[in-house]
Amino acid sequence: MQLLALPALSDNYIWVLRDDDGGAVVVDPGQAGPVLEAATAGGFRPTAILLTHHHNDHIGGTAELQAHWPGLPVFAPHDDRIVCAATRVGDGARFTAGGYGFDVIAVPGHTTSHIAFHLADGRESLLFCGDTLFSLGCGRLFEGSAAQMHGALSRLAALPGTTRVCCGHEYTLSNAAFARVVEPDNPALQRRTEEAQAMRQAERPTLPSTIAQELACNPFLRCDQPAVIAAAAQRLGREPDGPVEVFAELRRWKDGFTA
Ligand SMILES: [Zn+2]
């Protein structure tokens, strides 16, 4: 098994999970071009496409890939805004694609129908989470509520710590700038920031991250930690009424934040 992050558009990643026989599961192809090029150069053949949510920068290349490889199965959330032929999957669904077994986790918040795909085959735990969980951050609330997104992130946070987290965008350094304002004294965050800076300088992706790393560094997964609660309390001018309110305040704060 080989995991590739293909850069697409300005800062998206198309994830490719390649097996030893040259088959590959493609996740969130916002463009067809990077997949066609990588398939030719790397000698793989897509066996399935997985889509996390309806935004065009995640699905835009699907029709062209289906035309190029007729009959290519697509797995997508229940959402009429995704018009391509697809097997629709929702929370708790289990399916096999390209020989891998995936569990579907509903993660509403960024969009109402957003789903994540979790692969756990005994050796490896992999999460494809689109625009829900980013390294050191999380997706914007375009359609769902703070409570929904907090619930979704809590489910992802409960996956094994070794789970490799394959996010939809390269946002780690800009997220780090915000996270360090929230938690300036978190040494794990300091280390992750330095590591990510070195990776970007070497023109490498900062992803995948791991659940353990995000639990240690990502303020949006740390809404029960004293330092994060204190930062939210300072903004609110009072004690927050539990982790959902901490999360909501962090999200609002980040929406208006410029490094
Ligand atoms: Zn999106």
Side-chain angles (χ1 to χ4, degrees), residues 53 55 57-58 110-111 114 131 142 169:
H53 69 295
H55 287 158
D57 62 319
H58 293 254
H110 178 67
T111 70
H114 199 308
D131 290 354
F142 285 127
H169 290 270

Side-chain angles (χ1 to χ4, degrees), residues 238-254:
R238 60 174 171 80
E239 279 304 303
D241 181 24
V244 172
E245 191 175 28
V246 173
F247 174 81
E249 186 52 35
L250 285 186
R251 190 56 265 179
R252 248 193 315 272
W253 183 3
K254 174 113 186 349

Side-chain angles (χ1 to χ4, degrees), residues 15-97:
W15 291 93
V16 174
L17 183 59
R18 204 198 134 135
D19 63 35
D20 298 335
D21 301 324
V25 175
V26 176
V27 185
D28 281 356
Q31 289 178 296
V35 179
L36 294 168
E37 282 164 34
T40 305
F44 68 76
R45 169 185 41 81
T47 49
I49 292 176
L50 312 186
L51 304 176
T52 61
H53 69 295
H54 75 279
H55 287 158
N56 202 53
D57 62 319
H58 293 254
I59 68 172
T62 307
E64 193 177 335
L65 296 176
Q66 283 179 303
H68 196 87
W69 286 284
L72 182 61
V74 176
F75 296 87
H78 297 276
D79 192 318
D80 293 343
R81 296 171 294 189
I82 299 174
V83 297
C84 66
T87 301
R88 305 295 166 153
V89 290
D91 193 47
R94 258 189 181 189
F95 65 92
T96 301

